[in-house]
């Protein structure tokens, strides 16, 4: 059994501690912030996330499915809101599958408590990792009063997020790294419940206000409210406003009144929230390798920070944890170098693929969900899936409702794009999309591709 240091007690680090503690390893988790179960580290912000299929697969493998399911809200469809307040409901699957909305703070608290139930796991809060000796798996942690402690282990796992201190140390060696800020930033807007606690929107839908160059979305919380997130370019362009041109109160009021009039009805203090809430950026981090010899590994956002448009960052991190635990089961812990090599080989290509898929889904959410061609494509794909489930699984279902490797899903999605481009080009497709002929054409193209 190994002595393992986990740096970062966020969503991924705390789930990893559950997996490793249950396997008998001695696990110490060091988190720079105070304990979120006793301090409001989320400062009253109701950020929420969706858990989807592969997140559940990992939680089930860790024995936590029931515990986590009880704090989620199922979401079965997207609901788009146009500028005139008209809504369109688009189910996520043809067979009523759901993704699950959960409060980030609540989930983190739950996972930390589950990790702590294992006698092998010790949580240390207010410990910021400031240095790592990669060769000896020794970390230096600093407390807020300045005290510093050095901790040596057999293995260090960096689950310390997009700006990982562990990864920073790996960059001194033979290590590839890229960091890309996308043009869009985001701001959160709380959409409150009615005074009697009932929700103002259908809680079983993810609400999207797509406006081509920017968008707002809303996800249900368990208290009847929603967390809204506005994604918009930082800098305005001729086509679209940006956070830099929507700054003064009058500009903010005009912006919401013109772009999201129905949201203004739901959130009377929308302008005040916009002016008060911080603007956050979105970064994509790719690096290679994710491991150093038999001593250090990166996991979760520390290895692959992605944009949030597929809602898969945490799910991908949970899948990393499951795969890592399965490799330990398969290979044992004697040759940790081999475990880490196999982990890197299994997960790195999938980290790259979900980064690409997430950018691609941004385009889909921002403008395509409001596009009649896109809606028609979804209908054709839904029909193909219903009639030939063994041959056609739409990309969204592969990513959100299956354990198919992200890299395979990406390749299959690109194949589907090529086929559907030809199907949508068929004459009179709007009228004939349900015909046998369209179906036969799609299947023939699938056979040939
Ligand atoms: C707006 C938005 C919406 C999202 N929606 C979804 C979604 O719907 N579904 C989904 O799956 N994902 C979503 N994500 C992505 C998801 O939030 C991340 O992928 C996930 O939080 C990654 O977990 P993590 O534990 O790897 O990193 P983090 O959650 O960042 O946790 C890292 C932890 O390490 C600690 N830490 C950092 N540095 C140090 C240090 N030096 N020493 C000690 N501790 C340290 C931090 O305090 C933190 O607790 C979203 C992200 C954003 C921004």
């Amino acid at each position: 059994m190994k002595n393992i240091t986990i740096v970062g007690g966020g969503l991924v680090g705390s789930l990893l501690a559950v997996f490793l503690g249950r396997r008998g390893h001695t696990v110490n988790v060091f988190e720079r912030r105070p304990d979120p179960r006793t301090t409001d580290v989320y400062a009253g912000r109701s950020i929420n996330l969706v858990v989807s299929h592969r997140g559940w697969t990992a939680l089930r493998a860790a024995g936590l499915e029931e515990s986590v399911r009880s704090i989620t809200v199922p979401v079965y469809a997207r609901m788009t809101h146009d500028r005139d307040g008209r809504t369109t409901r688009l189910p996520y699957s043809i067979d009523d599958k759901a993704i699950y909305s959960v409060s980030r703070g609540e989930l983190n608290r739950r996972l930390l408590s589950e990790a702590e139930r294992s006698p092998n796991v010790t949580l240390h809060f207010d410990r910021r990792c400031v240095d790592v000796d990669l060769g000896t798996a020794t970390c230096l942690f600093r407390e807020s009063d300045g005290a510093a402690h050095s901790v040596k282990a057999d293995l260090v796992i960096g689950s310390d997020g997009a700006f990982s201190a562990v990864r920073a140390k790996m960059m001194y060696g033979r290590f590839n790294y890229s960091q890309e800020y996308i043009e869009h930033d985001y701001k959160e807007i709380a959409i409150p419940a009615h005074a009697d606690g009932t929700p103002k929107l259908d809680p079983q839908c993810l609400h999207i206000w797509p406006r081509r160059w920017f968008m707002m979305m809303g996800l249900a919380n368990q208290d009847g409210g929603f967390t809204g997130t506005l994604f918009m370019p930082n800098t305005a362009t001729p086509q679209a406003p940006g956070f830099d041109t929507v700054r003064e109160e009058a500009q903010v009021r005009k912006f919401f009144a013109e772009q999201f009039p129905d949201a203004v009805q739901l959130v009377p203090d929308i302008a005040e929230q916009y002016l008060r809430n911080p603007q956050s950026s979105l970064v994509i981090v790719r690096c290679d390798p994710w491991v150093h010899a038999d001593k250090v590994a990166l996991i979760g956002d520390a290895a692959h920070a992605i944009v949030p448009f597929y809602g898969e960052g945490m799910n991908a991190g949970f899948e990393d944890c499951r795969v890592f635990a399965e490799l330990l089961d398969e290979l044992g812990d004697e040759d940790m170098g081999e475990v880490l090599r196999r982990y890197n080989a299994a997960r790195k290509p999938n980290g790259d693929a979900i980064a690409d898929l997430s950018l691609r889904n941004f385009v889909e959410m921002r403008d395509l969900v409001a596009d009649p061609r896109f809606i028609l494509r979804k209908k054709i794909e839904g029909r193909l899936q219903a009639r030939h489930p063994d041959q056609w699984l739409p990309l969204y279902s592969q990513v959100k409702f299956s354990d198919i490797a992200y890299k395979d899903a990406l390749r299959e999605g690109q194949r589907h794009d090529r086929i559907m481009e030809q199907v949508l080009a068929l004459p009179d497709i709007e009228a004939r999309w349900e015909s046998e002929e369209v179906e036969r054409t799609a299947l023939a193209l699938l056979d040939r591709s």
Side-chain angles (χ1 to χ4, degrees):
M1 289 298 136
K2 298 291 183 190
N3 186 346
I4 300 174
T5 291
I6 296 180
V7 180
L11 301 172
V12 173
S14 47
L15 179 62
L16 183 66
V18 173
F19 272 113
L20 298 180
R22 295 218 176 138
R23 278 162 179 75
H25 300 289
T26 302
V27 180
N28 284 285
V29 181
F30 295 89
E31 164 58 44
R32 72 169 176 203
R33 292 183 299 187
D35 188 339
R37 296 165 300 174
T38 51
T39 315
D40 186 9
V41 298
Y42 292 96
R45 294 168 70 200
S46 64
I47 308 163
N48 50 16
L49 307 161
V50 295
V51 186
S52 51
H53 181 90
R54 61 191 83 221
W56 290 118
T57 305
L59 289 164
R60 194 174 311 121
L64 302 184
E65 183 179 10
E66 289 314 309
S67 171
V68 172
R69 205 171 288 269
S70 64
I71 55 169
T72 63
V73 178
V75 176
Y76 295 92
R78 308 172 173 102
M79 186 172 284
T80 57
H81 297 244
D82 72 13
R83 281 196 185 80
D84 298 324
R86 276 189 301 264
T87 57
T88 307
R89 188 178 185 280
L90 206 56
Y92 280 125
S93 79
I94 55 161
D95 47 2
D96 249 11
K97 290 205 174 76
I99 53 178
Y100 291 79
S101 173
V102 66
S103 146
R104 175 195 290 265
E106 188 66 20
L107 179 57
N108 197 183
R109 288 189 284 273
R110 181 67 53 109
L111 294 176
L112 287 168
S113 294
E114 294 287 356
E116 214 168 35
R117 279 159 62 138
S118 164
N120 307 329
V121 175
T122 312
L123 308 178
H124 310 262
F125 295 96
D126 186 22
R127 300 281 195 286
R128 176 190 289 269
C129 176
V130 291
D131 199 8
V132 185
D133 182 335
L134 303 178
T136 60
T138 305
C139 296
L140 185 67
F141 295 101
R142 201 175 297 285
E143 295 178 46
S144 48
D145 65 6
H149 309 269
S150 166
V151 178
K152 186 173 182 320
D154 299 315
L155 174 67
V156 172
I157 305 185
S159 57
D160 49 345
F163 302 99
S164 167
V166 178
R167 189 185 65 226
K169 206 58 201 180
M170 292 166 79
M171 286 166 65
Y172 288 95
R174 198 177 173 80
F175 187 77
N176 296 318
Y177 173 74
S178 76
Q179 169 182 302
E180 182 193 344
Y181 281 92
I182 66 162
E183 179 51 23
H184 285 66
D185 282 2
Y186 70 96
K187 242 180 214 277
E188 262 142 18
I189 306 278
I191 304 172
H194 287 297
D196 63 0
T198 53
K200 290 182 177 174
L201 296 164
D202 181 347
Q204 298 200 331
C205 291
L206 182 142
H207 295 265
I208 311 179
W209 289 260
R211 298 294 180 262
R212 194 153 171 75
W213 305 105
F214 55 100
M215 68 169 182
M216 191 161 76
M217 52 170 272
L219 252 184
N221 299 315
Q222 272 197 323
D223 65 1
F226 283 72
T227 299
T229 313
L230 171 68
F231 296 95
M232 187 160 72
N234 177 47
T235 312
T237 60
Q239 296 85 18
F243 281 111
D244 65 337
T245 54
V246 184
R247 281 188 8 215
E248 307 300 331
E249 186 176 339
Q251 293 168 331
V252 175
R253 291 196 188 284
K254 182 165 179 289
F255 169 72
F256 281 106
E258 282 175 8
Q259 302 294 345
F260 306 107
D262 58 340
V264 176
Q265 306 293 316
L266 302 171
V267 193
D269 66 342
I270 200 161
E272 288 76 7
Q273 285 198 46
Y274 178 97
L275 292 165
R276 193 172 60 232
N277 291 348
Q279 176 184 335
S280 305
S281 54
L282 294 168
V283 68
I284 303 167
V285 172
R286 296 176 201 253
C287 63
D288 187 32
W290 292 4
V291 299
H292 178 87
D294 60 346
K295 291 285 185 284
V296 181
L298 300 173
I299 201 161
D301 275 18
H304 49 79
I306 60 178
V307 291
F309 305 113
Y310 237 123
E312 279 294 292
M314 170 193 67
N315 289 292
F318 283 5
E319 193 171 58
D320 294 341
C321 296
R322 174 179 66 79
V323 170
F324 190 77
E326 285 172 1
L327 284 169
L328 277 176
D329 292 344
E330 183 191 332
L331 303 171
D333 64 5
E334 278 306 301
D335 186 353
M336 198 49 91
E338 178 62 7
V339 173
L340 299 196
R341 269 190 300 281
R342 291 270 300 271
Y343 164 72
N344 189 68
R347 297 306 295 160
K348 161 72 182 153
N350 286 306
D352 288 341
I354 190 58
D356 293 342
L357 284 162
S358 301
L359 268 176
R360 175 191 155 114
N361 213 46
F362 182 32
V363 177
E364 184 163 319
M365 288 180 85
R366 196 183 62 185
D367 43 15
L368 294 184
V369 286
D371 177 347
R373 301 283 289 176
F374 173 79
I375 294 168
L376 179 61
R377 173 175 168 170
K378 288 278 163 196
K379 287 201 251 175
I380 298 171
E381 287 198 72
R383 187 167 186 275
L384 281 170
Q385 184 192 4
R387 294 170 60 88
H388 305 278
D390 50 332
Q391 292 185 67
W392 194 282
L393 187 60
L395 176 61
Y396 189 87
S397 296
Q398 294 188 42
V399 173
K400 299 301 280 185
F401 301 128
S402 89
D403 295 310
I404 293 170
Y406 290 126
K407 64 179 173 34
D408 298 335
L410 177 60
R411 200 179 326 110
E412 190 65 359
Q414 287 163 343
R415 191 159 79 109
H416 285 182
D417 283 351
R418 291 191 292 273
I419 293 168
M420 291 311 291
E421 212 170 284
Q422 294 181 60
V423 170
L424 287 169
L426 292 172
D428 211 16
I429 183 70
E430 284 82 2
R432 295 193 307 132
W433 69 272
E434 284 183 288
S435 68
E436 295 282 320
E437 192 197 336
V438 168
E439 184 180 323
R440 271 199 307 276
T441 306
L443 293 178
L445 289 166
L446 190 65
D447 267 353
R448 286 207 295 272
S449 63

